[in-house]
Amino acid sequence: MTLFLEQMLNGLQLGVMLFLMAAGLTLIFGIMGIINLAHGSIYMVGAYAGTLVIGETGSFLLGIAGALGAAAVTGVVMEMVVIRRLYRRDHLDQVLATFAIILILNQLVTILFGRQPLFVPMPPLLAGSVELVPGLVYPVYRLSIIVVGLMVAAGLYLLINRTRIGMLVRAGSTNRDMVRALGVDIRMLYTVVFGLGALLAGLAGLMAGPILAVQVGMGEQILITTFVVVVIGGVGSIRGAFFASLIIGVVDTMLRAYLPGLLRHVMVGSEADALGAGISSMGIYLLMALVLLVRPKGLFAADS
């Protein structure tokens, strides 16, 4: 039972990390109609910027500010210089343009920092572990990731459903021409949405730093899973992104933790490990296929 609870917490931690990525991506894709392959590169920029600031100042809080600022500025500049010219273009043009941004940012980071992975020191206040239940000792930092992710989810819910900006965002996702006709500066709205999505990606990148290596191309590793979250949750739905992220995080973690052991009961150990690892890596894609068979538009409509 202790191992099960620990893996559940690991799944939740992975889920909220995916949500921070997927929330911005689903806003950009659902509202602006842009396939932004460079969203993972903004995640990388946030991780590197936060690592640099922490290394220079020794302050994790300043690192958070640096990561958020760098990611938001990168997103806004990207939207104004490149993305703004792609709104009425074919999706193939969007894919090619944002893929080019991936190559440019990866090469720029390589020139500035090299290809050696960087490691972010654990914040001293969050470096220990806490006993949640008898026998279950869990790292404080991973718990803090879960708490931050849930707080961001609550904040986004209030922003989207309880504010004027959220009303405009929801209206823009359904009828952008009507929003423009009502006198709303739709270009500024798109810039704000893109900047918000970039900020969330930067936050995810920084929080991943003490757990994963900060390295060139780290954004591409999580981007595919993030797109799966968006598809399962429903394009344009923050609520869908939240629940889909948690589901995928838990399913992926549980498959990797338990499937090889279950297969050992019916197969040779090495074969069971190989087959279990293969099926586990495909698990979220099989889940996506099952969801789309039942609900082709995802779990939730693009209304929140």
Side-chain angles (χ1 to χ4, degrees), residues 6 31 50 69 76 87 93 97 101 114 120 126 128-129 141 146 154 169 178 184-185 189 200 222 254 257 259 290 303:
E6 182 178 1
I31 295 170
V76 169
Y87 291 139
D93 294 337
I101 294 174
V120 183
L126 305 175
S129 300
Y141 184 76
I146 297 174
V169 167
M178 181 60 70
V184 175
D185 187 347
L189 177 63
L200 294 175
I222 195 173
M254 289 300 182
L259 187 58
L290 290 174
D303 56 355

Side-chain angles (χ1 to χ4, degrees), residues 3 10 45 50 83 122 130 146 169 176 206 210-211 220 223 228 249 253 293:
L3 177 60
N10 288 337
V45 168
I83 303 298
M122 192 73 68
V130 61
I146 297 174
V169 167
R176 70 187 69 179
L206 176 68
I211 300 175
E220 288 82 88
L223 183 64
V228 173
T253 301
L293 282 175

Side-chain angles (χ1 to χ4, degrees), residues 53-229:
V53 173
I54 293 171
E56 292 294 328
T57 65
S59 171
F60 195 80
L61 290 178
L62 290 178
I64 293 175
L68 297 183
V73 169
T74 301
V76 169
V77 171
M78 188 187 301
E79 193 275 338
M80 296 178 67
V81 175
V82 179
I83 303 298
R84 187 171 290 181
R85 293 165 171 76
L86 301 174
Y87 291 139
R88 299 185 181 277
R89 301 284 290 272
D90 187 87
H91 283 323
L92 179 59
D93 294 337
Q94 298 169 6
V95 168
L96 292 175
T98 53
F99 183 71
I101 294 174
I102 292 176
L103 299 180
I104 292 170
L105 288 178
N106 282 350
Q107 190 60 39
L108 182 60
V109 169
T110 301
I111 293 172
L112 293 176
F113 299 98
R115 291 196 172 274
Q116 284 296 109
L118 304 179
F119 297 93
V120 183
M122 192 73 68
L125 291 177
L126 305 175
S129 300
V130 61
E131 189 173 23
L132 300 178
V133 296
L136 176 58
V137 178
Y138 201 74
V140 175
Y141 184 76
R142 289 180 179 269
L143 285 176
S144 68
I145 291 177
I146 297 174
V147 172
V148 169
L150 294 178
M151 290 173 61
V152 170
L156 279 176
Y157 173 82
L158 294 176
L159 176 68
I160 298 297
N161 293 282
R162 296 289 186 269
T163 66
R164 174 176 169 77
I165 293 178
M167 177 189 68
L168 294 175
V169 167
R170 286 183 284 120
S173 67
T174 55
N175 196 328
R176 70 187 69 179
D177 293 329
M178 181 60 70
V179 173
R180 184 182 291 110
L182 291 173
V184 175
D185 187 347
I186 198 73
R187 287 173 46 172
M188 179 58 68
L189 177 63
Y190 281 1
T191 301
V192 170
V193 169
F194 204 94
L196 176 61
L199 186 145
L200 294 175
L203 177 61
L206 176 68
M207 292 197 305
I211 300 175
L212 307 173
V214 177
Q215 58 187 335
V216 177
M218 62 184 293
E220 288 82 88
Q221 298 172 8
I222 195 173
L223 183 64
I224 296 176
T225 307
T226 305
F227 269 112
V228 173
V229 170

